[in-house]
Amino acid sequence: MQRRHLMLSPLALPGLFSSACAVIDAPPVPSPTAGTQRAVALDVPGLAEPVRCWLYEPVGYSAGGRPWPLVVFLHGSGERGRELERVAVHGPPKHARAGRHYPFLLCSPQLDDNRRWQPAELHALLGVLRQRWHIDPQRVLGTGLSLGGAGVWDWATSYPDDLAAIAPVCGFADAQGACLARPVPVRAYHGDADTVVPVAAQQRAIDTLRACGGQAELIVYPGVGHDSWNPAYDDPALVPWLMAQRAPSPRSRP
């Protein structure tokens, strides 16, 4: 599909514990769920009910091994409710279910009906994920579509130290507050035929962020409507871009 851009280990041996032999620690045991996606419910401080999520662990993941990047995916308004199956109809959780392997942990939470993504709740959820999984605090990424695209924008402006980068798809943001996300690189996507969330709703935030010194790119798909998440999450450059992002120093913890 045509598009245009607007921006426009090695194993370390322990020391010898005797003169007779070297002792080598056993390698970490891989998680039995590595390479698969499963439903989890997480108790999050400040919330009355557990947060329902799809949780994907990459092949090779081990809680006792190296820390892994984390991507948090936020769904759109149509996937809200109590049926977690809805969350897996679009984007990364859909592809993970179909067998696509990702080089990161993936958490895809669900909102109840008539709710919007709240930055403080996402910040608290991240704290729980850090406690339960072995996550690199310098490589936490956010992405989402439509209402979820707005959610990652709001998260980045409210808690920029949480995120190494965001990739909002057909999202929208308050352009006046976009500069608060200046430390967070942005790779955004939109269809120029979107009548639900016009591309201008995201273009203004991108322009503002770039004007105040942020790193921001908007990829626009000609002739594509609101479902720009289909080409966006099939973009072969998206995952490498996400994996190349790293916060410049260890980020704050809850």
Side-chain angles (χ1 to χ4, degrees):
M1 180 175 292
Q2 220 179 16
R3 68 186 187 190
R4 67 178 186 272
H5 291 251
L6 300 182
M7 311 186 31
L8 15 196
S9 21
L11 183 66
L13 295 179
L16 293 176
F17 291 103
S18 72
S19 58
C21 63
V23 177
I24 302 176
D25 290 336
V29 178
S31 167
T33 56
T36 62
Q37 182 171 249
R38 70 187 192 278
V40 298
L42 302 176
D43 291 322
V44 175
L47 298 183
E49 296 184 7
V51 176
R52 301 174 301 279
C53 309
W54 288 113
L55 198 290
Y56 170 85
E57 292 178 352
V59 174
Y61 173 79
S62 169
R66 66 178 176 87
W68 286 78
L70 167 70
V71 173
V72 178
F73 167 74
L74 306 182
H75 62 72
S77 59
E79 293 74 65
R80 292 178 292 186
R82 294 250 171 197
E83 298 174 1
L84 191 58
E85 291 294 320
R86 295 182 181 181
V87 178
V89 299
H90 299 305
K94 170 188 174 181
H95 295 307
R97 166 175 282 187
R100 182 178 296 183
H101 290 299
Y102 287 115
F104 47 76
L105 290 156
L106 172 66
C107 178
S108 306
Q110 185 179 35
L111 281 174
D112 284 340
D113 285 324
N114 302 315
R115 296 204 67 227
R116 292 189 58 163
W117 298 105
Q118 300 298 321
E121 294 176 5
L122 294 168
H123 177 72
L125 173 63
L126 177 58
V128 173
L129 292 169
R130 284 172 166 170
Q131 293 170 4
R132 292 274 303 269
W133 282 270
H134 204 36
I135 293 167
D136 185 342
Q138 292 180 259
R139 302 181 73 191
V140 176
L141 301 310
T143 186
L145 60 89
S146 193
L147 184 69
V152 294
W153 272 110
D154 288 345
W155 190 6
T157 57
S158 299
Y159 295 93
D161 284 346
D162 280 357
L163 297 161
I166 61 171
V169 180
C170 56
F172 51 94
D174 174 14
Q176 292 184 338
C179 286
L180 296 172
R182 186 170 57 247
V184 183
V186 178
R187 182 182 179 92
Y189 295 85
H190 226 108
D192 70 357
D194 191 336
T195 58
V196 178
V197 180
V199 64
Q202 197 156 226
Q203 181 69 68
R204 286 190 293 268
I206 291 289
D207 291 344
T208 300
L209 187 55
R210 293 184 64 230
C212 62
Q215 300 176 46
E217 175 183 19
L218 178 61
I219 297 168
V220 176
Y221 294 106
V224 173
H226 193 51
D227 61 346
S228 54
W229 52 78
N230 289 320
Y233 289 117
D234 277 330
D235 177 7
L238 176 57
V239 169
W241 183 85
L242 289 170
M243 294 300 93
Q245 308 308 311
R246 185 182 293 272
S249 59
R251 295 302 181 107
S252 61
R253 294 178 181 268

